[in-house]
Amino acid sequence: MRDIKISASLLGSDLSKAGSEAQRALQAGADWIHIDVMDGNFVENISFGAPFQKALKGDMFKDTHLMVSHPDHQIEFFAESGSDLITFHVESQSDVEHTINKIHRAGLMAGLSIKPDTPAEAVFPYLEKLELVLVMTVEPGYGGQGFLTYTVPKITDIRQKALQLNRDIYIQVDGGINPETAPVVINAGADVIVSGTCLFKSENMARTVKLLKGQAAL
Ligand code: DX5
Ligand code: ZN
């Protein structure tokens, strides 16, 4: 198993200073910066788009989570705005294979996400091509929601299927992750933990990163 990575969700940060919030998270030990793109259609909320992402200056791994109805229309914009990884939803309107190919042609890692009520099997046909699967542990659309425990067995199912296929992919979880829920998803097979509210609202961010990675005890 790889080291656990923390992807800091800017949605949970003080957006009036998003750039310095991203740097603060990286200095505290976060590995990636998670950028939640919402279009007011795939989810009811609207967050931010490629120009916002582009404005985040400095060295960082940009983990772009597209919660949009037509992710295939967005790939060039986000590639040009510095994404290292683009994750989109299997429930979107875009053809999955075509969108993965587009992300790869842009030279980026491709991730595929499932909402809480979508079965693990929905990603199985694409595991050979993907670098990451994102299992949503809340309904996409808002930060600060409660963790949905019934999503956990899907993490194990996807890890097992990937192992069968000899695919050493990342499995990311997103939503409601805190020091209590992190060990649950890590034990199930997740290795990239998205954290917004818990991380950015914590008093000691470096300690929270260690707690989420399982490198410190509560
Ligand atoms: C929800 C977003 C998440 C969200 C996680 O739609 O995809 O990335 O910011 O936030 P917390 O950690 O607050 O649940
Ligand atoms: Zn997200």
Side-chain angles (χ1 to χ4, degrees):
M1 180 92 147
R2 303 179 211 234
D3 289 344
I4 304 300
K5 290 192 190 301
I6 303 298
S7 194
S9 171
L10 284 184
L11 202 61
S13 77
D14 178 348
L15 288 174
S16 68
K17 45 178 182 174
S20 62
E21 286 285 82
Q23 292 306 327
R24 186 165 73 92
L26 294 170
Q27 273 154 25
D31 302 277
W32 295 356
I33 298 299
H34 185 84
I35 297 143
D36 284 305
V37 179
M38 304 180 186
D39 66 352
N41 189 319
F42 183 76
V43 291
E44 61 186 14
N45 218 351
I46 297 177
S47 57
F48 29 71
F52 169 86
Q53 177 177 286
K54 194 171 187 176
L56 300 169
K57 299 285 183 258
D59 198 24
M60 68 185 80
F61 182 101
K62 289 180 180 171
D63 162 19
T64 307
H65 178 192
L66 295 181
M67 285 163 276
V68 305
S69 293
H70 296 282
D72 60 325
H73 298 170
Q74 296 297 322
I75 307 308
E76 286 91 352
F77 295 123
F78 281 92
E80 205 264 319
S81 304
S83 293
D84 293 282
L85 157 71
I86 297 181
T87 299
F88 66 101
H89 275 262
V90 74
E91 306 89 351
S92 75
Q93 300 298 307
S94 298
D95 180 78
V96 173
E97 194 108 13
H98 164 76
T99 308
I100 294 172
N101 289 342
K102 229 172 166 178
I103 297 170
H104 284 159
R105 275 201 304 275
L108 311 177
M109 287 165 56
L112 187 61
S113 182
I114 49 172
K115 298 205 279 185
D117 292 332
T118 301
E121 289 73 18
V123 302
F124 288 179
Y126 311 104
L127 285 178
E128 302 271 13
K129 300 190 88 170
L130 293 165
E131 280 73 41
L132 179 146
V133 171
L134 165 54
V135 177
M136 289 302 298
T137 44
V138 298
E139 279 301 333
Y142 302 92
Q145 304 181 75
F147 179 78
L148 298 172
T149 312
Y150 71 85
T151 60
V152 172
K154 295 195 290 180
I155 302 167
T156 308
D157 292 349
I158 294 165
R159 178 59 76 201
Q160 275 172 356
K161 187 70 181 174
L163 283 171
Q164 272 173 25
L165 297 170
N166 251 320
R167 290 291 293 156
D168 187 16
I169 56 163
Y170 289 113
I171 299 183
Q172 184 177 53
V173 285
D174 185 6
I177 307 291
N178 58 40
E180 282 84 36
T181 53
V184 176
V185 291
I186 292 169
N187 286 338
D191 54 4
V192 184
I193 307 277
V194 176
S195 178
T197 310
C198 168
L199 191 65
F200 283 101
K201 305 286 180 272
S202 65
E203 272 172 28
N204 183 340
M205 200 187 250
R207 177 165 158 76
T208 304
V209 168
K210 283 204 169 68
L211 284 170
L212 293 174
K213 286 188 178 188
Q215 293 171 350
L218 271 177

